[in-house]
Amino acid sequence: MSATPTGTQTEVEAGSTPQWKKYDKYPIEVDPNQDDKATEIMLCSFDRPHMRAFHCSWFAFFIAFFVWFAITPLIPEIQDSLGLSNEEIWTSNIANVTGTIFMRFLLGPLCDTMGPRILFTMVLAVSAIPTACIGFVNSATGLTVIRLFIGLAGGTFVMCQYWTSKMFTKEIVATANGLVGGWGNLGAGITQLLVGTALFPLFKEIFKGTENPAENAWRTVCIVPAIFALMTAILIYKVSDDTPKGNYHELKKNGAMGEPSAVQSFRKGFYNVNTWLLFIQYGCCFGVELTMNSAAAKYFHDRYRLTTDESAAIASIFGWMNLFARGLGGWLSDIMNMKWGMRGRLYIQLVLLILEGALVLVFAHSDSLIEAINIMVFFSMFVQAAEGSTYGIVPYVAPDALGSVTGIVGAGGNVGAVAFGMAFRDPEIDERKAFIIMGGAILVSALASIFITIDGHRGILFGKDAEETQPRKRNIVPDVA
């Protein structure tokens, strides 16, 4: 149930006291003991600061996916135009997710020092440049290099999850993180559909009087996502806040925030073993999604002899599950936390990964197109639900190094994608065997849930809840009013 607004939102005059904050009242219920974080999610509200940040977070991440995977449904056309081998295509796919690994490690501690808003703006603006330059590619090397730089857009995930973790209380943070992450990831599915079945045919029609309309179309169509990225970067900078109390530079200027050390933040996250257990698990859910984003259209195109338009439409189904599945995983994590605390979050993480791995193995043995599509729908749902449940655990690992933990775990997704991509790239491993390897790895990673032990929280086998972390009830159903 939603709360009645606590008052009209007003700006506090910038004072000299250490307790300075930009807003003295909020149009949403907040917990003053958790830095004025919201205790509810009001989906139809765009009010600053909480819900404005919520919507800016998922939309900016959505546009980042539009940039990041705009080229994916065009791969069959690019392969034909440039005469590339499957190994060369997979090398470019791997480069596309490798560029993000470094960015996620870097952006995590920078979030703790600069805030998510400016970093979102910078990364979107920079990644728009190589996206607009796709038309200049003429070789396998050129394709790999430009996709490496386009992959920088994937680093925006760190800001996406960090932002909502700063805006919503721990009792509902998994639901918030799951919704913004899922709706952002939805950009992958919509990009497959929009670029592959709408923009590409449109641009072919525009160039129908030329010698090679298909090649001219793929060389120019990616200008569209580049423009959207630049527009979104400006929007995010102008209309949002880093935290409930204001932007980082305002808080520092008015003595309400110290100057955090990026190095110290990174060390705290890096030397926490729970960070790396979640790193492995995220590699086996988001890494799987990235692999499918890169491989699905070509897989259906080659295996079932479909056209580029048809294979892109089917591949988009995987991403469309993000509309609800990642949020569902976060919501289930919050529900389990309400009943059993951290142990509940870990139980749901374990179950979701087991179901995900089992369905990958079933998908590997599917022989008909209809069967493959149906299995992919459920397989995708558990992949994304596991992503949501992972980021229900992340904010607890090292709260004072939230950015670093978010970045390192997020990088695990890209490392997983690189590892699985190497299996698909290997000419001695057919696609069915690559899927079996993937499914086996996921099942093994599920066991890591047993060993995650967070200070002050009871795990599946180890640890004990501190008195202040005992499970307590809180309304965690998003309000659409």
Side-chain angles (χ1 to χ4, degrees):
M1 142 177 143
S2 89
T4 303
T6 57
T8 303
Q9 187 179 39
T10 60
E11 291 201 16
V12 178
E13 294 297 326
S16 58
T17 67
Q19 300 303 316
W20 181 94
K21 59 182 180 180
K22 188 174 184 179
Y23 305 106
D24 63 348
K25 293 184 180 180
Y26 307 98
I28 195 169
E29 288 290 344
V30 303
D31 185 347
N33 295 320
Q34 294 190 49
D35 291 326
D36 290 351
K37 293 180 181 180
T39 62
E40 58 184 349
I41 302 170
M42 302 176 67
L43 295 180
C44 289
S45 170
F46 291 85
D47 290 322
R48 296 175 80 159
H50 303 88
M51 293 312 301
R52 181 73 62 84
F54 177 93
H55 289 295
C56 284
S57 180
W58 77 258
F59 183 72
F61 190 40
F62 178 97
I63 295 299
F65 261 95
F66 189 23
V67 167
W68 195 6
F69 286 97
I71 199 172
T72 302
L74 307 174
I75 287 296
E77 300 293 338
I78 295 173
Q79 185 173 15
D80 289 342
S81 294
L82 303 182
L84 305 179
S85 66
N86 286 334
E87 289 77 16
E88 289 171 327
I89 290 298
W90 268 106
T91 298
S92 77
N93 287 343
I94 292 169
N96 195 41
V97 295
T98 300
T100 307
I101 297 173
F102 170 75
M103 287 300 291
R104 292 190 175 187
F105 274 102
L106 175 66
L107 291 169
L110 287 180
C111 276
D112 287 324
T113 60
M114 297 175 63
R117 178 175 133 271
I118 290 176
L119 292 174
F120 241 136
T121 299
M122 292 170 59
V123 176
L124 282 175
V126 170
S127 60
I129 298 171
T131 304
C133 295
I134 286 172
F136 296 108
V137 170
N138 287 301
S139 66
T141 301
L143 180 64
T144 298
V145 171
I146 205 163
R147 295 193 75 189
L148 177 69
F149 285 103
I150 290 172
L152 300 179
T156 54
F157 171 77
V158 178
M159 288 80 83
C160 171
Q161 299 292 280
Y162 182 88
W163 212 349
T164 41
S165 295
K166 281 290 185 181
M167 289 288 179
F168 297 91
T169 60
K170 286 185 177 181
E171 289 78 17
I172 62 168
V173 71
T175 304
N177 282 349
L179 287 170
V180 296
W183 292 355
N185 282 5
L186 184 61
I190 292 181
T191 297
Q192 294 274 6
L193 199 61
L194 181 61
V195 175
T197 65
L199 290 176
F200 179 66
L202 174 63
F203 274 63
K204 277 200 299 184
E205 184 66 21
I206 293 172
F207 290 106
K208 66 179 180 180
T210 63
E211 183 178 349
N212 195 333
E215 180 170 350
N216 288 330
W218 73 253
R219 287 186 180 278
T220 54
V221 72
C222 287
I223 292 173
V224 176
I227 293 172
F228 271 93
L230 286 172
M231 293 172 59
T232 304
I234 295 170
L235 178 69
I236 294 300
Y237 182 77
K238 293 288 187 180
V239 304
S240 59
D241 304 287
D242 287 319
T243 75
K245 296 182 178 180
N247 292 316
Y248 273 31
H249 73 89
E250 296 170 325
L251 295 170
K252 293 174 183 177
K253 178 182 177 181
N254 290 280
M257 177 182 178
E259 190 65 54
S261 167
V263 174
Q264 185 178 7
S265 168
F266 183 76
R267 285 174 61 87
K268 287 181 179 179
F270 187 88
Y271 288 110
N272 191 310
V273 67
N274 296 307
T275 301
W276 295 102
L277 292 174
L278 291 169
F279 174 96
I280 293 169
Q281 292 191 322
Y282 201 62
C284 289
C285 50
F286 188 61
V288 171
E289 180 174 359
L290 290 179
T291 303
M292 290 297 291
N293 288 343
S294 297
K298 191 174 186 305
Y299 173 77
F300 284 107
H301 178 275
D302 295 347
R303 184 173 177 82
Y304 299 105
R305 300 294 184 263
L306 303 178
T307 66
T308 298
D309 300 359
E310 292 168 340
S311 59
I314 293 172
S316 73
I317 296 172
F318 193 95
W320 276 101
M321 293 298 102
N322 274 299
L323 185 62
F324 71 93
R326 185 162 182 153
L328 176 62
W331 181 75
L332 289 172
S333 182
D334 283 336
I335 288 288
M336 296 293 282
N337 175 68
M338 185 175 67
K339 294 181 180 295
W340 294 293
M342 179 55 62
R343 185 162 51 109
R345 292 193 188 276
L346 294 172
Y347 274 135
I348 198 66
Q349 177 88 340
L350 174 67
V351 169
L352 291 173
L353 285 167
I354 288 174
L355 292 172
E356 175 197 340
L359 283 171
V360 172
L361 296 177
V362 175
F363 181 80
H365 292 89
S366 60
D367 293 317
S368 72
L369 177 60
I370 298 300
E371 181 186 7
I373 293 173
N374 287 328
I375 295 169
M376 185 180 72
V377 168
F378 290 99
F379 150 38
S380 173
M381 185 171 69
F382 287 110
V383 167
Q384 290 148 18
E387 295 166 8
S389 66
T390 300
Y391 273 83
I393 301 168
V394 163
Y396 292 82
V397 173
D400 54 349
L402 174 63
S404 294
V405 177
T406 300
I408 293 171
V409 174
N414 295 81
V415 172
V418 170
F420 295 136
M422 294 297 289
F424 280 90
R425 181 184 182 278
D426 192 331
E428 296 183 4
I429 299 177
D430 61 31
E431 288 175 328
R432 174 171 291 185
K433 186 178 292 185
F435 278 116
I436 292 172
I437 292 171
M438 181 187 288
I442 296 166
L443 291 174
V444 171
S445 77
L447 299 177
S449 298
I450 297 172
F451 303 100
I452 294 174
T453 308
I454 296 172
D455 289 343
H457 298 273
R458 182 180 175 185
I460 292 178
L461 293 181
F462 310 105
K464 182 180 179 181
D465 282 326
E467 184 176 347
E468 64 271 17
T469 62
Q470 292 288 331
R472 56 179 176 148
K473 292 187 177 181
R474 170 92 70 176
N475 175 38
I476 56 173
V477 179
D479 195 326
V480 297

